[in-house]
Amino acid sequence: MNELTQSKDGYIVFDESGTCALAYGAAEKWFKTYDEAINYALEKVTKNCELFKDRIDFNSVIVYEGSEEFMHQSHSIPCGKVLFWWKNHK
């Protein structure tokens, strides 16, 4: 795998949907491998693009490097090197 996308700690996918992240269920999910993280992120992007046809909403999906421990403590988003960032708004 490309050394620029390898992470010994794993990857975190942050999914922010809606105008208010907490009300709409912003969530993070940790993955050990890059492929798992990217596949999950692309599923979220595809779903958000379909939903955008029926309602205008603000969405973003970020994949960044991070360990599973980050999931159990306060941290900024993203708190690691960003590998993928999609959003449908400025």
Side-chain angles (χ1 to χ4, degrees):
M1 176 177 263
N2 183 332
E3 68 183 41
L4 298 176
T5 57
Q6 283 182 337
S7 172
K8 61 179 173 38
D9 295 328
Y11 306 88
I12 298 173
V13 177
F14 175 70
D15 175 29
E16 176 183 35
S17 301
T19 55
C20 176
L22 294 176
Y24 281 83
E28 289 183 302
K29 190 169 182 178
W30 181 83
F31 295 91
K32 178 66 179 159
T33 68
Y34 172 83
D35 288 342
E36 292 173 320
I38 288 296
N39 287 336
Y40 180 78
L42 292 176
E43 287 174 12
K44 291 292 185 178
V45 168
T46 301
K47 179 183 174 193
N48 288 337
C49 287
E50 284 298 316
L51 292 174
F52 196 74
K53 292 176 184 177
D54 295 326
R55 67 173 190 252
I56 295 176
D57 220 346
F58 298 110
N59 302 292
S60 64
V61 177
I62 306 169
V63 178
Y64 60 94
E65 294 179 351
S67 67
E68 191 172 16
E69 286 79 38
F70 284 129
M71 305 295 293
H72 307 290
Q73 61 189 1
S74 295
H75 62 278
S76 60
I77 297 172
C79 62
K81 184 170 78 172
V82 174
L83 303 173
F84 175 84
W85 192 330
W86 171 88
K87 61 183 179 177
N88 67 352
H89 56 87
K90 278 187 167 184

